Amino acid sequence: MAPTPPRIEFETDIFSSTGLTLLVDGTAQSHVDAADPTHLFFEYVRRIGHVIDAVGLPGEPLRALHLGGGALTLPRYLAATRPDSVQHVVDIDGELVDRVLARLPLPAGADIVVQIGDAASVIGELGDATPFDLVIVDLYQRLQAPGFVETREFMAGCLALLSDRGLLVVNVADAAGLGRLRAQARAVARAAPSAELLVTGDATVLAGTEEGNTVLVAAPSGLPAGLAGRLAAHGPHPAEVLTAERLDFVLWGAC
């Protein structure tokens, strides 16, 4: 029997007349404020927004690769906060992309290319492209991440696409216990042992007691100055930011 196609819906935001939530099979996947693309509603997306804001100078155009598109919330944010940025989005679900663009067209003049394809294959094809300042990984279908995101080979492919100042940013949706975060952090560490790592998220999630999203940042050339402080100060709260020995203890201390 053929698999049931996903049910794609848009729900009006009860908090804002211009906000829309993208639901796939009844699960909220993305949120977009059509009138204000700088309004990042989901907590983990706001944390990624703070990471984006820390790269280079305020307003400076960036080159970004988004692996996983959803409703294209972050490409819209980057286009609004850093005009003239060059962005490449890869998503495996062509129907979803078509529905999103029909309901929420991309901003006029934004340099955003959307490619339908498998992220693991596409990163190999982009090896000759101009390096990216950001590679953002947010790959989920029906709350499941593809197995390759926990492999050294995939993370190495992402890291190889970064510019000298580039950051790899990964959304990790996890169960209590942080098993998925540990696996993905291990893959990054094996791919780039000298890279600086940072993890941020809700304090209860990083304590391992609750399910939720964390954001993993890998910086082969070092984390931007002040990034940890920015994430701690701007939240959403309660916010926890882990680096260096504290991060090592959370990831590996019980091993």
Side-chain angles (χ1 to χ4, degrees):
M1 181 181 295
T4 303
R7 188 175 75 254
I8 300 168
E9 302 171 290
F10 294 89
E11 184 177 82
T12 303
D13 192 341
I14 62 173
F15 302 104
S16 165
S17 61
T18 56
L20 286 175
T21 299
L22 168 66
L23 298 100
V24 179
D25 290 335
T27 299
Q29 186 184 77
S30 301
H31 178 278
V32 172
D33 189 326
D36 181 8
T38 68
H39 174 210
L40 302 178
F41 184 74
F42 287 178
E43 289 191 359
Y44 84 88
V45 179
R46 287 166 62 188
R47 298 185 205 279
I48 294 177
H50 298 325
V51 176
I52 292 172
D53 294 344
V55 179
L57 299 174
E60 177 185 355
L62 301 177
R63 286 184 55 83
L65 172 64
H66 305 263
L67 300 177
L72 305 171
T73 305
L74 286 170
R76 299 174 200 274
Y77 176 81
L78 195 53
T81 59
R82 294 173 180 261
D84 300 321
S85 291
V86 177
Q87 302 186 71
H88 192 114
V89 182
V90 179
D91 199 288
I92 199 169
D93 192 333
E95 180 188 359
L96 177 64
V97 170
D98 289 344
R99 292 280 298 275
V100 166
L101 292 178
R103 184 67 182 267
L104 294 162
L106 289 171
D111 191 346
I112 302 173
V113 173
V114 181
Q115 177 180 354
I116 306 304
D118 175 70
S121 300
V122 171
I123 59 172
E125 300 167 2
L126 292 173
D128 294 330
T130 303
F132 295 96
D133 302 306
L134 289 162
V135 174
I136 300 174
V137 180
D138 191 2
L139 293 168
Y140 289 91
Q141 285 190 303
R142 302 181 183 181
L143 299 180
Q144 293 300 315
F148 62 72
V149 298
E150 296 183 358
T151 66
R152 175 192 177 280
E153 291 75 18
F154 175 74
M155 292 303 187
C158 292
L159 291 162
L161 297 175
L162 293 175
S163 65
D164 289 342
R165 66 176 179 180
L167 301 179
L168 171 62
V169 186
V170 185
N171 169 39
V172 184
D174 222 340
L178 304 177
R180 184 173 285 166
L181 174 63
R182 290 192 174 99
Q184 294 188 30
R186 184 180 296 111
V188 172
R190 288 173 174 168
S194 62
E196 290 189 20
L197 301 183
L198 175 151
V199 172
T200 185
D202 185 284
T204 59
V205 175
L206 281 173
T209 59
E210 300 285 346
E211 66 179 19
N213 293 71
T214 58
V215 176
L216 169 65
V217 182
S221 299
L223 294 164
L227 174 58
R230 179 191 297 265
L231 288 162
H234 294 294
H237 298 289
E240 182 71 90
V241 183
L242 303 175
T243 60
E245 291 83 3
R246 291 185 65 221
L247 176 58
D248 288 342
F249 179 78
V250 168
L251 292 178
W252 324 121
C255 297

